[in-house]
């Protein structure tokens, strides 16, 4: 059977009413083709333009290596000047990525180049976007966003391959306890179902983004991303109206993260080994029980 992937819904334009009924209310992803075509960024945001406005600042870089059990989540693997990194990803494949980069800190004028889609929903954090840069072949590990926000993820200057999974599949995806990412020992593109049988039958959505495409990812959706070209994206975040989701976000960002960091610092590999073992046990139990139903 394998992992069952369906193509994502794709629309050119969408009304507020249709967006709410088909995607926001049921929390289903969708790609909107023409949203960013209304932005100045659609024409302006080339690699050279980003180098010009951001400047020669040093940025943390992330690779595809397995997380260090003693390090806090999102610890970087290396650092590089921003301009040198842009030259690198235009020149050759690399697994180095810029993750959760706040460009406004260095280039406030970028605020003028995009428009939050408030015609579709409210709750946007307008002045706090995140940008993500990746070299050809680099991958973002399978995870869901810790703040549980709705995400409008717009891609520029290349293509990106994305797999999406509803939050309900978290145990079958081998979620690491007290974390928002999955066990890093399997390849979600080509999993070994003998070693990781709980993945067999997991249902997801597959999509490909090109320049200017916007992916709506509802709160809690797991996502894995692969850069097919050296390129970059911007994520605009919006809060869900549900107080339960807000409470989940607060728990993740405070209690869970702090507990996990303390346990890592105290017990290091022993703690990580226990978490990975528990993730496998939970996945096997979910598979035997036929979850999710």
């Amino acid at each position: 059977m394998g992992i069952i992937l369906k193509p994502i819904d794709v629309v050119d334009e969408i009304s507020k009413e249709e967006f709410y009924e088909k995607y926001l209310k049921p929390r289903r992803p969708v790609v909107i083709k023409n949203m960013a075509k209304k932005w100045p960024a659609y024409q302006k945001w080339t690699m050279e333009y980003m180098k010009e406005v951001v400047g020669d600042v040093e940025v943390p870089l992330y690779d595809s290596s397995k997380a260090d059990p003693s390090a806090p989540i999102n610890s970087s693997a290396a650092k590089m000047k921003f301009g040198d990194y842009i030259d690198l990803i235009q020149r050759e494949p690399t697994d180095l990525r810029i993750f959760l980069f706040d460009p406004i800190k260095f280039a406030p004028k970028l605020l003028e180049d995009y428009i939050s889609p408030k015609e579709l929903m409210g709750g946007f954090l307008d002045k706090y976007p995140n940008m993500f840069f990746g070299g050809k072949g680099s991958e973002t590990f399978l995870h869901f966003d810790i703040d549980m926000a709705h995400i409008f993820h717009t891609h520029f200057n290349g293509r990106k391959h994305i797999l999406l999974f509803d939050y309900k599949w978290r145990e079958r995806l081998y979620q690491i306890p007290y974390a928002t990412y999955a066990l890093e020992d399997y390849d979600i593109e080509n999993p070994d179902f003998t070693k990781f049988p709980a993945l067999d039958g997991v249902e997801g959505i597959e999509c490909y983004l090109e320049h200017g495409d916007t992916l709506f990812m509802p709160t809690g959706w797991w996502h894995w991303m692969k850069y097919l070209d050296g390129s970059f994206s911007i994520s605009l975040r919006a809060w869900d109206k549900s107080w339960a989701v807000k409470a989940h976000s607060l728990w993740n960002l405070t209690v869970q993260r702090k507990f996990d960091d303390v346990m890592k610092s105290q017990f290091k590999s022993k703690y990580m080994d226990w978490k990975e073992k528990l993730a496998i046990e939970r996945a096997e139990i979910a598979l035997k029980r036929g979850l999710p139903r």
Side-chain angles (χ1 to χ4, degrees), residues 178-205:
Y178 306 108
T180 60
Y181 59 94
L183 189 68
E184 297 176 80
D185 295 336
Y186 65 82
D187 177 4
I188 192 64
E189 272 193 300
N190 186 30
D192 184 335
F193 297 111
T194 302
K195 290 184 178 180
F196 305 100
L199 295 173
D200 197 8
V202 167
E203 299 173 5
I205 293 175

mmCIF file of all heavy atoms in Angstrom, residues 178-205:
data_model
loop_
_atom_site.group_PDB
_atom_site.id
_atom_site.type_symbol
_atom_site.label_atom_id
_atom_site.label_comp_id
_atom_site.label_asym_id
_atom_site.label_seq_id
_atom_site.Cartn_x
_atom_site.Cartn_y
_atom_site.Cartn_z
ATOM 1 N N TYR A 178 7.580 15.252 23.148
ATOM 2 C CA TYR A 178 7.997 16.582 23.610
ATOM 3 C C TYR A 178 8.703 17.377 22.514
ATOM 4 O O TYR A 178 9.586 18.201 22.787
ATOM 5 C CB TYR A 178 8.890 16.478 24.849
ATOM 6 C CG TYR A 178 8.271 15.675 25.959
ATOM 7 C CD1 TYR A 178 8.759 14.408 26.273
ATOM 8 C CD2 TYR A 178 7.164 16.157 26.662
ATOM 9 C CE1 TYR A 178 8.169 13.645 27.276
ATOM 10 C CE2 TYR A 178 6.568 15.405 27.664
ATOM 11 C CZ TYR A 178 7.077 14.154 27.966
ATOM 12 O OH TYR A 178 6.484 13.407 28.952
ATOM 13 N N ALA A 179 8.320 17.121 21.275
ATOM 14 C CA ALA A 179 8.908 17.824 20.141
ATOM 15 C C ALA A 179 7.872 17.934 19.027
ATOM 16 O O ALA A 179 6.799 17.326 19.096
ATOM 17 C CB ALA A 179 10.154 17.085 19.642
ATOM 18 N N THR A 180 8.195 18.692 17.995
ATOM 19 C CA THR A 180 7.268 18.900 16.884
ATOM 20 C C THR A 180 7.815 18.335 15.577
ATOM 21 O O THR A 180 7.419 18.747 14.502
ATOM 22 C CB THR A 180 6.966 20.407 16.712
ATOM 23 O OG1 THR A 180 8.202 21.092 16.438
ATOM 24 C CG2 THR A 180 6.319 20.986 17.952
ATOM 25 N N TYR A 181 8.735 17.380 15.676
ATOM 26 C CA TYR A 181 9.292 16.772 14.481
ATOM 27 C C TYR A 181 9.253 15.252 14.599
ATOM 28 O O TYR A 181 9.019 14.691 15.674
ATOM 29 C CB TYR A 181 10.723 17.259 14.228
ATOM 30 C CG TYR A 181 11.706 16.980 15.335
ATOM 31 C CD1 TYR A 181 12.500 15.847 15.331
ATOM 32 C CD2 TYR A 181 11.845 17.872 16.399
ATOM 33 C CE1 TYR A 181 13.407 15.591 16.345
ATOM 34 C CE2 TYR A 181 12.744 17.632 17.426
ATOM 35 C CZ TYR A 181 13.525 16.495 17.391
ATOM 36 O OH TYR A 181 14.413 16.242 18.398
ATOM 37 N N ALA A 182 9.477 14.590 13.467
ATOM 38 C CA ALA A 182 9.389 13.130 13.401
ATOM 39 C C ALA A 182 10.761 12.490 13.572
ATOM 40 O O ALA A 182 11.799 13.156 13.450
ATOM 41 C CB ALA A 182 8.780 12.711 12.066
ATOM 42 N N LEU A 183 10.752 11.200 13.829
ATOM 43 C CA LEU A 183 11.979 10.414 13.867
ATOM 44 C C LEU A 183 12.759 10.659 12.574
ATOM 45 O O LEU A 183 12.195 10.591 11.481
ATOM 46 C CB LEU A 183 11.612 8.936 13.989
ATOM 47 C CG LEU A 183 12.731 7.940 14.258
ATOM 48 C CD1 LEU A 183 13.305 8.124 15.659
ATOM 49 C CD2 LEU A 183 12.193 6.512 14.097
ATOM 50 N N GLU A 184 14.032 10.941 12.695
ATOM 51 C CA GLU A 184 14.831 11.325 11.524
ATOM 52 C C GLU A 184 15.529 10.143 10.862
ATOM 53 O O GLU A 184 16.368 10.343 9.980
ATOM 54 C CB GLU A 184 15.858 12.374 11.936
ATOM 55 C CG GLU A 184 15.223 13.668 12.435
ATOM 56 C CD GLU A 184 16.262 14.662 12.921
ATOM 57 O OE1 GLU A 184 16.875 15.341 12.072
ATOM 58 O OE2 GLU A 184 16.479 14.731 14.151
ATOM 59 N N ASP A 185 15.170 8.920 11.235
ATOM 60 C CA ASP A 185 15.857 7.741 10.719
ATOM 61 C C ASP A 185 15.225 7.164 9.456
ATOM 62 O O ASP A 185 15.705 6.149 8.941
ATOM 63 C CB ASP A 185 15.894 6.647 11.790
ATOM 64 C CG ASP A 185 16.732 7.063 12.992
ATOM 65 O OD1 ASP A 185 17.607 7.927 12.821
ATOM 66 O OD2 ASP A 185 16.494 6.538 14.095
ATOM 67 N N TYR A 186 14.173 7.767 8.948
ATOM 68 C CA TYR A 186 13.583 7.274 7.705
ATOM 69 C C TYR A 186 13.498 8.397 6.675
ATOM 70 O O TYR A 186 13.500 9.578 7.007
ATOM 71 C CB TYR A 186 12.202 6.653 7.942
ATOM 72 C CG TYR A 186 11.119 7.594 8.412
ATOM 73 C CD1 TYR A 186 10.416 8.383 7.511
ATOM 74 C CD2 TYR A 186 10.760 7.674 9.760
ATOM 75 C CE1 TYR A 186 9.397 9.239 7.940
ATOM 76 C CE2 TYR A 186 9.756 8.513 10.190
ATOM 77 C CZ TYR A 186 9.079 9.296 9.272
ATOM 78 O OH TYR A 186 8.081 10.144 9.696
ATOM 79 N N ASP A 187 13.433 7.981 5.410
ATOM 80 C CA ASP A 187 13.318 8.897 4.285
ATOM 81 C C ASP A 187 11.854 8.927 3.863
ATOM 82 O O ASP A 187 11.340 7.946 3.323
ATOM 83 C CB ASP A 187 14.215 8.416 3.144
ATOM 84 C CG ASP A 187 14.105 9.268 1.893
ATOM 85 O OD1 ASP A 187 13.382 10.289 1.916
ATOM 86 O OD2 ASP A 187 14.741 8.907 0.877
ATOM 87 N N ILE A 188 11.180 10.038 4.095
ATOM 88 C CA ILE A 188 9.746 10.103 3.815
ATOM 89 C C ILE A 188 9.460 9.980 2.320
ATOM 90 O O ILE A 188 8.375 9.561 1.925
ATOM 91 C CB ILE A 188 9.139 11.407 4.388
ATOM 92 C CG1 ILE A 188 7.607 11.371 4.364
ATOM 93 C CG2 ILE A 188 9.655 12.619 3.622
ATOM 94 C CD1 ILE A 188 6.995 10.316 5.230
ATOM 95 N N GLU A 189 10.426 10.298 1.463
ATOM 96 C CA GLU A 189 10.247 10.123 0.020
ATOM 97 C C GLU A 189 10.278 8.650 -0.375
ATOM 98 O O GLU A 189 9.615 8.245 -1.334
ATOM 99 C CB GLU A 189 11.349 10.856 -0.750
ATOM 100 C CG GLU A 189 11.073 12.294 -1.070
ATOM 101 C CD GLU A 189 12.049 12.837 -2.097
ATOM 102 O OE1 GLU A 189 13.263 12.837 -1.828
ATOM 103 O OE2 GLU A 189 11.601 13.250 -3.179
ATOM 104 N N ASN A 190 11.074 7.870 0.339
ATOM 105 C CA ASN A 190 11.240 6.458 -0.002
ATOM 106 C C ASN A 190 11.417 5.649 1.281
ATOM 107 O O ASN A 190 12.493 5.115 1.548
ATOM 108 C CB ASN A 190 12.448 6.288 -0.930
ATOM 109 C CG ASN A 190 12.594 4.879 -1.444
ATOM 110 O OD1 ASN A 190 11.617 4.153 -1.614
ATOM 111 N ND2 ASN A 190 13.837 4.464 -1.657
ATOM 112 N N PRO A 191 10.378 5.525 2.092
ATOM 113 C CA PRO A 191 10.526 4.883 3.403
ATOM 114 C C PRO A 191 10.683 3.374 3.320
ATOM 115 O O PRO A 191 10.203 2.728 2.382
ATOM 116 C CB PRO A 191 9.216 5.250 4.114
ATOM 117 C CG PRO A 191 8.241 5.501 3.015
ATOM 118 C CD PRO A 191 9.026 6.053 1.869
ATOM 119 N N ASP A 192 11.370 2.839 4.309
ATOM 120 C CA ASP A 192 11.522 1.391 4.459
ATOM 121 C C ASP A 192 10.381 0.914 5.356
ATOM 122 O O ASP A 192 10.423 1.072 6.572
ATOM 123 C CB ASP A 192 12.882 1.078 5.090
ATOM 124 C CG ASP A 192 13.154 -0.417 5.190
ATOM 125 O OD1 ASP A 192 12.187 -1.193 5.241
ATOM 126 O OD2 ASP A 192 14.342 -0.796 5.246
ATOM 127 N N PHE A 193 9.367 0.293 4.760
ATOM 128 C CA PHE A 193 8.184 -0.103 5.518
ATOM 129 C C PHE A 193 8.446 -1.330 6.397
ATOM 130 O O PHE A 193 7.662 -1.605 7.302
ATOM 131 C CB PHE A 193 7.008 -0.361 4.573
ATOM 132 C CG PHE A 193 6.578 0.867 3.810
ATOM 133 C CD1 PHE A 193 6.787 0.949 2.440
ATOM 134 C CD2 PHE A 193 5.996 1.932 4.462
ATOM 135 C CE1 PHE A 193 6.406 2.083 1.741
ATOM 136 C CE2 PHE A 193 5.608 3.069 3.770
ATOM 137 C CZ PHE A 193 5.816 3.144 2.401
ATOM 138 N N THR A 194 9.528 -2.034 6.122
ATOM 139 C CA THR A 194 9.880 -3.147 6.999
ATOM 140 C C THR A 194 10.381 -2.626 8.338
ATOM 141 O O THR A 194 10.003 -3.131 9.402
ATOM 142 C CB THR A 194 10.962 -4.027 6.347
ATOM 143 O OG1 THR A 194 10.477 -4.507 5.088
ATOM 144 C CG2 THR A 194 11.317 -5.194 7.241
ATOM 145 N N LYS A 195 11.215 -1.587 8.297
ATOM 146 C CA LYS A 195 11.740 -0.997 9.526
ATOM 147 C C LYS A 195 10.736 -0.064 10.186
ATOM 148 O O LYS A 195 10.711 0.078 11.419
ATOM 149 C CB LYS A 195 13.028 -0.226 9.227
ATOM 150 C CG LYS A 195 14.215 -1.098 8.874
ATOM 151 C CD LYS A 195 15.460 -0.246 8.692
ATOM 152 C CE LYS A 195 16.675 -1.100 8.380
ATOM 153 N NZ LYS A 195 17.898 -0.257 8.189
ATOM 154 N N PHE A 196 9.892 0.568 9.374
ATOM 155 C CA PHE A 196 8.949 1.562 9.897
ATOM 156 C C PHE A 196 7.543 1.254 9.378
ATOM 157 O O PHE A 196 6.986 1.973 8.541
ATOM 158 C CB PHE A 196 9.389 2.977 9.486
ATOM 159 C CG PHE A 196 10.794 3.300 9.900
ATOM 160 C CD1 PHE A 196 11.836 3.223 8.991
ATOM 161 C CD2 PHE A 196 11.078 3.646 11.217
ATOM 162 C CE1 PHE A 196 13.140 3.506 9.374
ATOM 163 C CE2 PHE A 196 12.377 3.930 11.615
ATOM 164 C CZ PHE A 196 13.415 3.855 10.695
ATOM 165 N N PRO A 197 6.965 0.155 9.862
ATOM 166 C CA PRO A 197 5.689 -0.321 9.320
ATOM 167 C C PRO A 197 4.517 0.634 9.547
ATOM 168 O O PRO A 197 3.536 0.586 8.802
ATOM 169 C CB PRO A 197 5.469 -1.647 10.064
ATOM 170 C CG PRO A 197 6.290 -1.523 11.314
ATOM 171 C CD PRO A 197 7.484 -0.722 10.924
ATOM 172 N N ALA A 198 4.590 1.492 10.553
ATOM 173 C CA ALA A 198 3.480 2.405 10.834
ATOM 174 C C ALA A 198 3.267 3.414 9.714
ATOM 175 O O ALA A 198 2.184 4.008 9.599
ATOM 176 C CB ALA A 198 3.703 3.135 12.158
ATOM 177 N N LEU A 199 4.282 3.622 8.870
ATOM 178 C CA LEU A 199 4.143 4.559 7.748
ATOM 179 C C LEU A 199 3.280 3.981 6.630
ATOM 180 O O LEU A 199 2.732 4.726 5.815
ATOM 181 C CB LEU A 199 5.516 4.920 7.185
ATOM 182 C CG LEU A 199 6.459 5.692 8.114
ATOM 183 C CD1 LEU A 199 7.833 5.818 7.477
ATOM 184 C CD2 LEU A 199 5.899 7.075 8.433
ATOM 185 N N ASP A 200 3.172 2.659 6.592
ATOM 186 C CA ASP A 200 2.400 2.008 5.541
ATOM 187 C C ASP A 200 0.922 2.336 5.709
ATOM 188 O O ASP A 200 0.308 2.009 6.728
ATOM 189 C CB ASP A 200 2.615 0.497 5.608
ATOM 190 C CG ASP A 200 2.207 -0.209 4.328
ATOM 191 O OD1 ASP A 200 1.901 0.472 3.344
ATOM 192 O OD2 ASP A 200 2.205 -1.462 4.325
ATOM 193 N N GLY A 201 0.357 3.013 4.716
ATOM 194 C CA GLY A 201 -1.053 3.396 4.776
ATOM 195 C C GLY A 201 -1.298 4.814 5.247
ATOM 196 O O GLY A 201 -2.450 5.279 5.254
ATOM 197 N N VAL A 202 -0.248 5.526 5.642
ATOM 198 C CA VAL A 202 -0.418 6.933 6.019
ATOM 199 C C VAL A 202 -0.880 7.723 4.800
ATOM 200 O O VAL A 202 -0.389 7.530 3.684
ATOM 201 C CB VAL A 202 0.907 7.512 6.567
ATOM 202 C CG1 VAL A 202 0.832 9.024 6.670
ATOM 203 C CG2 VAL A 202 1.227 6.907 7.922
ATOM 204 N N GLU A 203 -1.835 8.618 5.002
ATOM 205 C CA GLU A 203 -2.395 9.408 3.905
ATOM 206 C C GLU A 203 -1.885 10.842 3.974
ATOM 207 O O GLU A 203 -1.851 11.450 5.042
ATOM 208 C CB GLU A 203 -3.919 9.393 3.981
ATOM 209 C CG GLU A 203 -4.517 8.004 3.852
ATOM 210 C CD GLU A 203 -6.022 7.992 4.090
ATOM 211 O OE1 GLU A 203 -6.606 9.083 4.256
ATOM 212 O OE2 GLU A 203 -6.605 6.898 4.128
ATOM 213 N N GLY A 204 -1.494 11.367 2.837
ATOM 214 C CA GLY A 204 -0.981 12.727 2.786
ATOM 215 C C GLY A 204 -1.346 13.424 1.497
ATOM 216 O O GLY A 204 -2.105 12.916 0.672
ATOM 217 N N ILE A 205 -0.780 14.613 1.338
ATOM 218 C CA ILE A 205 -1.019 15.448 0.157
ATOM 219 C C ILE A 205 0.332 15.866 -0.406
ATOM 220 O O ILE A 205 1.256 16.194 0.336
ATOM 221 C CB ILE A 205 -1.852 16.696 0.532
ATOM 222 C CG1 ILE A 205 -3.266 16.286 0.953
ATOM 223 C CG2 ILE A 205 -1.924 17.687 -0.632
ATOM 224 C CD1 ILE A 205 -4.115 17.439 1.442
#
